[in-house]
Amino acid sequence: MKLSEAKHSEKVVITKVLGHGSFRKRISEMGFIKGKEVTMIKNAPFNGPFEFKILDYNISLRESEANLIEVIPVKEFIKPENGNYEGVTDLKIDLVNQSERTKIINIALVGNPNSGKTTLFNYISGSKEKVGNYAGVTVDIKKATFKTKGYTFNFYDLPGTYSLTAYSKEEIFVRKFIYEQTPDIVINVLDATNLERNLFLTTQLIDMDLRIVVALNMYDELKRKKLQFNKKELAKLLGIPFIPTISSKGIGLEKLIDKVIDVFEGKEKISRHIHINYGKDLENAIEIVRQKIKENKPITDKISSRFLAIKILEKDQQVNDLLSHYSNYDEIQKSTKKEINKIEIIENEDSETIITNAKYSFITGALKETFKNPNQDKKTRSEKIDNILTHKYLGFPLFTAILFLMFYTTFTLGAYPMKWIDFGIAALGNFVSGIMPAGMLKDLFVNGIINGAGSVLVFLPNILILFLFISLLEGSGYMARAAFIMDKIMHRFGLHGRSFIPMIMGFGCNVPAILATRSMRNRGDRILTMLIIPFMSCSARLPVYILIISAFFDKYQALYLIGIYAVGIVFAFITAQILNKTIFKNKETPFVMELPTYRLPTLRNVLYHMWDKTQHYIKKIGTIILIGVVIVWTLEYFPRETKKTKDFQSKIENVRLDPNFNIDGKKSQVKNLNQQQESDRLMNSYIGRIGKIIEPVMRPLGFDWKMSIALIAGLPAKEIIISTMGVLYQVSDNETTVNLQSKLRSEMYEKGDKIGQKVFTTPAALAFLIFILIYFPCIGVVAAIKNESGSWKWAAFSVLYTTGLAWIAAFLVYNIGNLFI
């Protein structure tokens, strides 16, 4: 029967994996091979993907993928006694004491996603890289350098990868780094609770003849689950020292460094070079191809000839490209094809699957006597939690409730510290105003820098709360569940389920969300996801939303905020559907995703994540936003006089000399004339002139020239919209961000057919929110799309499409709103 036909909680055994290409390669490397036991867990909401348990971890597959795996009930399966376990072959190679040549140790951190690799990197190096409990967080190579115990350590945190097959960008990154940089030591980070799957990558590192130290991470969970593991015996077998670590708490990391030094100096007795024995037929094929590859030296000086032989027997295109420059490449190809045909006839399987099966047979045999799980048939804590959080009927309502809580808390809880900061900024403005003499410099500091930049700083608490929630969702492992729950909906709009993780990340910042698309296999899926991420309301837009919603909507403010975010998601789905049916026409790619164990995020990682974002936000205020504020203030401040300036000054002087007015009357009249003069000056300032030029284009949306200028100012960074409005609307020294809201509410048209009418009506405010939601991504996002897609074409498309769509959407909202409101 097919795997999709297995009943709830039923245990079955794989008899055959159908399909071909990347799906078969990935699924077999993740443990779906003949003879492995699989348990059906559940079906996702909306009849979405299935959740299965294999090799003590959970994974999701769509029905179409589960249909390609044939199984039988576990009671009908006759288990072979020893499988193909052939042990290892020792190589008589003495480990060189590298410390005689250098005191610098280059270390590559390699491990599966969710193994705690980046947490270990952060703790051991004092770095603050982002940590998330799902695949694809580390999408680039990160470096940290520190000195200890007489050595300089260069740590490289490589992307999380399940194997070294050229299947995804992560795998290509890792392979290329090892090829080109040849690290002195590889620290292979293993999840101690999931050794059978994690060791697949270890076998490939062994094939590369690398010097390895294993960080047996999450060792506390191994003990808590009462798993029995004889690490010394497995270490002796593999020739690799195993060091228990708990990276989230920093436990075992000093011993890990000591062991790295021992291996580097050639003093570690366990360390030795071995070859895994994959069986007589496969070993013969590997040796024949390997000898052909070794006839030339350029590549094999850096890359193990055995690894190259195994990969070329797996029909690895990347390795074929590497060897294509060899003078004897035709001979290598001829020998390889001959050996592939031979082993495929013997095993009645394709060569990739044969090698994968051999690796898992070795792993199973190696763990048979060294690893026991007495609780294998019991439900794990994560499965018990998932009984509720990914329930077929409760999963989606709970997911919606979590998002509602996130945005409601961001809006309501953030209001209190926002008021405190606002009060502090107003006090600072009054203080500076009191000690500085009147003039241009005072105006720059008070009305420009303090009020402008301060109007952005005031929203820092809201940003922190939002990133707190995102950090908790990432660190706990719930992000992967969100993709699992949403896959069916995503699939209907032509999106891959994995697209949902970058989309959720986009609520924090669009740039890392675009980088996270690297975890997607299909280029079309990747570019399509990049193009819809700008519709996710990043934290830079949040201050503008809060300002406008607080000013014009007295009730249901949290619902309005959630509604704006929801509208962005709807536009993303509609755009995906249009592009998928016109430009991309993507071939459906498999939805193969691990559902990691739930883990309570450590306070350290959460605070690191929040502090990193806080630094980024404050740095942005002190650089891009500050520069933008000064430019906007300069354009607003000059020229100081207009054609009517002398007339206003004459009228003010006449009022002061008029004996018919008392003192209070004179003050009132002078204040009114000063406001009229300032309004006239502002309209004729450089920024006013620019606004008047673009106002005709924006007038159909209900926007005046000030709103238009604010939108243009927001092109480098959306936060500048707030600071620009602060400069344009706050003309008094003691105005604060809260008072800006009353300024917006009372702003009137001073010319034209709408003279005396309010600028910010409810439809205009809604149209303004919609325009900000959709239009022109910030410069950083445009650059990220260009870099990740490899072409300015997609970056330009994103700019033109989003801005055009923003104009149309805002036009419809404003004009339809005027009919009903």
Side-chain angles (χ1 to χ4, degrees):
M1 67 179 185
K2 297 171 183 175
L3 182 57
S4 59
E5 296 169 350
K7 297 175 183 176
H8 179 70
S9 299
E10 183 180 5
K11 293 180 185 294
V12 293
V13 176
I14 298 169
T15 57
K16 194 170 186 180
V17 179
L18 307 174
H20 59 276
S22 61
F23 164 74
R24 185 165 183 171
K25 182 182 292 185
R26 171 52 79 230
I27 208 76
S28 61
E29 288 178 347
M30 295 188 80
F32 284 82
I33 60 173
K34 184 177 179 180
K36 289 298 178 185
E37 187 178 294
V38 185
T39 304
M40 162 65 119
I41 304 295
K42 69 162 78 69
N43 200 196
F46 313 111
N47 289 320
F50 294 104
E51 180 183 355
F52 300 102
K53 185 173 184 179
I54 185 170
L55 304 183
D56 285 331
Y57 78 102
N58 293 39
I59 190 170
S60 63
L61 300 174
R62 290 194 188 120
E63 183 178 3
S64 57
E65 286 128 26
N67 284 339
L68 296 174
I69 301 170
E70 294 182 357
V71 296
I72 58 173
V74 69
K75 60 184 178 183
E76 297 178 18
F77 179 69
I78 301 172
K79 193 172 184 180
E81 289 188 14
N82 293 316
N84 297 322
Y85 176 66
E86 301 284 348
V88 300
T89 304
D90 280 319
L91 301 179
K92 304 299 182 183
I93 300 173
D94 293 327
L95 294 176
V96 179
N97 183 354
Q98 299 282 6
S99 64
E100 295 174 357
R101 298 189 300 170
T102 179
K103 286 292 181 179
I104 299 172
I105 307 179
N106 296 309
I107 299 169
L109 281 177
V110 179
N112 284 191
N114 313 308
S115 62
K117 177 177 57 61
T118 300
T119 305
L120 188 148
F121 175 79
N122 288 347
Y123 215 111
I124 209 166
S125 65
S127 180
K128 301 176 182 64
E129 289 305 325
K130 186 177 179 184
V131 176
N133 190 8
Y134 59 91
V137 175
T138 308
V139 290
D140 212 335
I141 294 172
K142 306 293 189 304
K143 180 184 177 182
T145 301
F146 64 94
K147 294 181 179 180
T148 186
K149 303 179 186 292
Y151 285 96
T152 298
F153 291 86
N154 291 320
F155 265 84
Y156 298 89
D157 180 24
L158 306 187
T161 177
Y162 292 105
S163 78
L164 295 179
T165 303
Y167 174 82
S168 67
K169 276 200 169 186
E170 285 91 343
E171 293 167 347
I172 294 169
F173 273 8
V174 173
R175 263 183 27 178
K176 190 176 180 182
F177 179 87
I178 293 173
Y179 289 168
E180 295 178 355
Q181 303 299 323
T182 56
D184 300 306
I185 306 287
V186 170
I187 294 180
N188 183 200
V189 184
L190 302 184
D191 178 351
T193 65
N194 200 349
L195 289 173
E196 191 166 6
R197 194 212 55 211
N198 277 241
L199 282 169
F200 183 85
L201 177 60
T202 309
T203 63
Q204 293 182 318
L205 294 172
I206 290 171
D207 290 339
M208 295 186 83
D209 286 339
L210 300 168
R211 299 209 293 182
I212 307 166
V213 176
V214 163
L216 196 62
N217 206 23
M218 305 175 197
Y219 200 69
D220 52 337
E221 292 189 27
L222 180 141
K223 289 184 174 180
R224 182 177 57 78
K225 292 180 179 180
K226 298 179 181 177
L227 306 178
Q228 300 164 14
F229 178 47
N230 189 335
K231 60 182 181 296
K232 289 183 179 179
E233 285 300 313
L234 187 60
K236 286 179 183 177
L237 175 67
L238 298 180
I240 301 171
F242 279 60
I243 306 299
T245 60
I246 307 170
S247 59
S248 61
K249 299 176 183 177
I251 296 173
L253 301 189
E254 191 170 343
K255 289 182 179 178
L256 183 66
I257 291 293
D258 290 338
K259 192 59 67 176
V260 165
I261 293 171
D262 287 345
V263 173
F264 187 72
E265 294 180 347
K267 296 176 181 178
E268 173 55 44
K269 295 179 181 178
I270 288 176
S271 283
R272 67 189 200 282
H273 282 292
I274 66 160
H275 283 168
I276 295 169
N277 191 333
Y278 294 122
K280 183 180 177 183
D281 297 323
L282 198 49
E283 285 295 332
N284 285 340
I286 292 169
E287 188 58 28
I288 289 168
V289 175
R290 180 169 169 253
Q291 290 302 326
K292 284 290 178 185
I293 292 172
K294 284 180 70 177
E295 288 178 12
N296 285 273
K297 286 290 182 184
I299 293 179
T300 53
D301 284 343
K302 282 192 169 185
I303 309 170
S304 161
S305 57
R306 179 177 172 84
F307 177 77
L308 294 172
I310 292 170
K311 283 297 166 192
I312 202 170
L313 285 169
E314 288 181 331
K315 306 168 188 173
D316 189 298
Q317 188 56 48
Q318 294 270 332
V319 169
N320 265 298
D321 292 342
L322 274 174
L323 298 176
S324 62
H325 303 295
Y326 269 38
S327 58
N328 67 335
Y329 178 64
D330 290 337
E331 293 179 37
I332 294 171
Q333 281 277 69
K334 186 177 178 181
S335 295
T336 302
K337 286 179 181 178
K338 182 180 177 182
E339 295 307 316
I340 286 173
N341 289 334
K342 190 188 299 182
I343 60 174
E344 286 185 343
I345 290 169
I346 294 171
E347 298 287 341
N348 194 28
E349 271 285 11
D350 68 272
S351 60
E352 289 176 87
T353 304
I354 293 168
I355 293 171
T356 302
N357 288 349
K359 285 180 178 294
Y360 271 112
S361 293
F362 168 78
I363 293 166
T364 302
L367 291 177
K368 188 174 182 181
E369 300 300 327
T370 59
F371 183 79
K372 305 289 181 186
N373 183 1
N375 305 311
Q376 195 166 8
D377 295 329
K378 294 180 181 179
K379 275 193 172 184
T380 64
R381 181 179 60 182
S382 288
E383 286 169 355
K384 291 174 183 176
I385 295 171
D386 271 342
N387 283 342
I388 301 170
L389 291 184
T390 60
H391 188 271
K392 189 172 184 178
Y393 301 110
L394 295 176
F396 186 73
L398 286 171
F399 171 63
T400 307
I402 289 169
L403 290 183
F404 175 83
L405 177 65
M406 180 169 75
F407 294 123
Y408 179 80
T409 307
T410 298
F411 197 100
T412 55
L413 190 61
Y416 298 102
M418 176 181 164
K419 289 179 181 177
W420 304 332
I421 296 173
D422 190 61
F423 177 80
I425 291 167
L428 177 63
N430 290 332
F431 173 74
V432 174
S433 181
I435 63 172
M436 289 187 72
M440 185 177 73
L441 194 60
K442 174 182 175 179
D443 198 283
L444 171 61
F445 272 98
V446 177
N447 291 332
I449 295 172
I450 294 175
N451 283 345
S455 60
V456 180
L457 183 64
V458 76
F459 294 99
L460 180 60
N462 306 95
I463 305 297
L464 280 174
I465 293 169
L466 179 65
F467 277 113
L468 169 64
F469 275 97
I470 291 176
S471 181
L472 291 172
L473 292 176
E474 289 176 350
S476 65
Y478 185 74
M479 277 291 205
R481 271 70 182 188
F484 176 70
I485 291 167
M486 292 297 295
D487 178 66
K488 188 71 173 182
I489 295 174
M490 303 286 283
H491 196 49
R492 284 177 180 172
F493 287 94
L495 287 165
H496 196 277
R498 277 185 176 269
S499 299
F500 197 68
I501 290 174
M503 286 173 69
I504 290 289
M505 289 176 68
F507 288 147
C509 180
N510 287 172
V511 173
I514 288 168
L515 298 180
T517 61
R518 291 180 184 175
S519 64
M520 303 173 70
R521 174 74 176 101
N522 183 279
R523 174 174 166 79
D525 285 332
R526 210 160 54 240
I527 294 176
L528 181 57
T529 306
M530 284 180 216
L531 294 178
I532 66 170
I533 282 173
F535 291 106
M536 302 298 104
S537 292
C538 64
S539 58
R541 296 181 183 124
L542 182 61
V544 192
Y545 296 159
I546 292 174
L547 175 73
I548 301 299
I549 290 171
S550 300
F552 297 101
F553 304 98
D554 296 329
K555 296 181 180 179
Y556 313 115
Q557 293 176 334
L559 289 177
Y560 277 107
L561 184 62
I562 293 167
I564 288 294
Y565 278 80
V567 168
I569 294 171
V570 169
F571 272 114
F573 283 160
I574 293 171
T575 298
Q577 186 81 304
I578 294 168
L579 295 179
N580 198 50
K581 290 185 179 297
T582 54
I583 298 175
F584 293 101
K585 296 181 180 178
N586 281 339
K587 183 182 177 183
E588 185 174 308
T589 53
F591 181 67
V592 182
M593 187 180 70
E594 180 185 356
L595 298 177
T597 302
Y598 281 108
R599 294 189 175 96
L600 188 66
T602 64
L603 181 62
R604 176 190 174 92
N605 284 335
V606 171
L607 291 178
Y608 268 166
H609 190 194
M610 291 175 66
W611 172 241
D612 180 58
K613 297 305 174 186
T614 304
Q615 280 183 311
H616 179 74
Y617 191 71
I618 294 172
K619 185 179 178 182
K620 209 173 184 183
I621 292 173
T623 52
I624 296 173
I625 294 169
L626 186 60
I627 293 168
V629 164
V630 172
I631 292 171
V632 170
W633 175 86
T634 304
L635 293 172
E636 178 269 341
Y637 191 78
F638 295 103
R640 297 303 296 162
E641 294 185 356
T642 70
K643 292 177 181 179
K644 295 182 180 180
T645 300
K646 290 183 179 179
D647 291 339
F648 279 115
Q649 289 175 350
S650 178
K651 287 178 182 179
I652 291 169
E653 188 63 27
N654 289 337
V655 169
R656 286 173 176 164
L657 297 174
D658 194 333
N660 295 321
F661 288 102
N662 58 29
I663 294 175
D664 290 337
K666 286 182 180 181
K667 284 183 178 179
S668 177
Q669 285 291 322
V670 169
K671 182 179 179 181
N672 185 43
L673 287 168
N674 277 328
Q675 286 178 342
Q676 290 179 37
Q677 179 183 349
E678 182 61 22
S679 177
D680 175 70
R681 190 201 64 76
L682 190 59
M683 287 171 55
N684 289 282
S685 66
Y686 295 128
I687 202 167
R689 295 172 193 177
I690 296 169
K692 291 296 180 183
I693 293 171
I694 61 174
E695 185 181 21
V697 178
M698 310 304 282
R699 193 180 295 130
L701 316 182
F703 303 166
D704 72 343
W705 66 272
K706 290 182 182 179
M707 297 163 72
S708 304
I709 286 294
L711 292 169
I712 289 179
L715 298 184
K718 295 297 179 283
E719 297 97 333
I720 299 179
I721 293 172
I722 293 283
S723 56
T724 302
M725 295 176 87
V727 172
L728 292 176
Y729 291 94
Q730 290 180 261
V731 293
S732 299
D733 290 353
N734 61 350
E735 295 289 350
T736 65
T737 301
V738 173
N739 289 339
L740 174 58
Q741 295 171 355
S742 64
K743 281 278 186 181
L744 297 178
R745 286 192 291 264
S746 61
E747 184 73 7
M748 300 285 187
Y749 283 102
E750 298 177 356
K751 286 186 177 182
D753 56 347
K754 292 185 178 181
I755 189 168
Q757 296 180 27
K758 287 189 175 182
V759 174
F760 270 100
T761 60
T762 301
L766 283 172
F768 194 63
L769 287 171
I770 291 295
F771 197 91
I772 289 166
L773 164 70
I774 304 171
Y775 90 116
F776 198 107
C778 72
I779 299 300
V781 173
V782 175
I785 292 174
K786 184 266 173 186
N787 291 335
E788 292 303 304
S789 65
S791 170
W792 277 111
K793 175 179 72 173
W794 296 116
F797 175 83
S798 178
V799 169
L800 296 173
Y801 176 76
T802 54
T803 305
L805 183 63
W807 195 97
I808 294 168
F811 176 82
L812 293 173
V813 167
Y814 176 67
N815 288 282
I816 293 172
N818 279 328
L819 296 176
F820 296 99
I821 301 175

